[in-house]
């Protein structure tokens, strides 16, 4: 453990003044300046790291905002569900489905009628 780390731990343990710590370890003005320079370096490094993180998160936020805008645009392009052309196509589809079901039912009735006619002809001995 370096002398400075020991000082920091000691400073955290009790609330002694820095002057008392400097006197105890017989530190010179140069030592104090070195400690202050190291503290400033650490602060600058911490600031740089925080700025990098902030920049990274700002970029992510901008990317997400762009994605949201793209999704909103694509949602607006899907508004054709409310337009008359789309409603007409839906109505036409329902009408054609209904017509298909009616034709299918008519075909079944006609098939039964033909079967009945053939059965009557067989009973009469014509077939």
């Amino acid at each position: 453990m370096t002398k400075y780390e020991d000082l920091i731990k000691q400073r955290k343990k009790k609330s002694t003044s820095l002057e008392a710590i400097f006197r105890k370890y017989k530190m010179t003005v140069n030592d104090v300046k070195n400690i202050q320079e190291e503290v400033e370096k650490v602060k600058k490094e911490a600031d740089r790291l925080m700025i990098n993180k902030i920049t990274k998160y700002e970029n992510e936020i901008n990317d997400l905002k762009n994605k949201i805008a793209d999704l909103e645009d694509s949602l607006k392009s899907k508004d054709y569900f409310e337009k008359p052309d789309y409603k007409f196509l839906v109505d036409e589809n329902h009408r054609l489905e209904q017509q298909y079901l009616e034709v299918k039912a008519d075909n079944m009735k006609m098939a039964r009628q033909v079967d009945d006619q053939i059965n009557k002809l067989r009973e009469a001995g014509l077939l």
Side-chain angles (χ1 to χ4, degrees):
M1 186 179 325
T2 67
K3 178 167 69 171
Y4 304 120
E5 290 173 344
D6 188 36
L7 287 175
I8 291 170
K9 282 187 177 180
Q10 193 176 30
R11 177 74 174 145
K12 287 181 180 178
K13 286 182 184 176
K14 49 185 168 178
S15 61
T16 58
S17 68
L18 289 176
E19 291 84 19
I21 294 173
F22 296 149
R23 275 189 240 120
K24 178 179 179 181
Y25 287 99
K26 297 178 184 170
M27 296 177 80
T28 63
V29 173
N30 287 335
D31 291 335
V32 172
K33 285 183 181 178
N34 289 339
I35 290 173
Q36 287 175 341
E37 288 173 4
E38 285 185 40
V39 167
E40 288 301 317
K41 285 180 188 177
V42 169
K43 284 182 181 179
K44 285 180 183 178
E45 180 66 16
D47 288 344
R48 186 185 63 77
L49 291 173
M50 283 303 268
I51 288 172
N52 288 344
K53 281 186 179 182
I54 289 171
T55 304
K56 175 187 167 191
Y57 291 128
E58 284 177 345
N59 290 339
E60 285 182 24
I61 288 170
N62 287 335
D63 290 344
L64 292 173
K65 284 181 180 179
N66 289 337
K67 284 182 183 179
I68 288 171
D70 291 343
L71 290 172
E72 286 175 346
D73 288 344
S74 68
L75 180 64
K76 286 178 185 175
S77 70
K78 305 263 190 257
D79 285 344
Y80 63 86
F81 290 108
E82 297 175 4
K83 293 186 179 177
D85 292 340
Y86 177 77
K87 289 182 180 179
F88 167 75
L89 291 174
V90 169
D91 292 341
E92 185 68 12
N93 189 29
H94 288 300
R95 186 186 67 75
L96 291 173
E97 284 177 5
Q98 185 66 30
Q99 187 176 357
Y100 167 75
L101 293 174
E102 290 172 3
V103 167
K104 194 173 178 181
D106 286 345
N107 284 346
M108 291 174 70
K109 287 178 186 176
M110 290 174 79
R112 282 191 216 120
Q113 286 177 355
V114 168
D115 283 343
D116 289 344
Q117 293 293 329
I118 289 175
N119 287 339
K120 285 181 184 178
L121 290 173
R122 284 187 186 147
E123 289 175 4
L126 296 174
L127 287 179

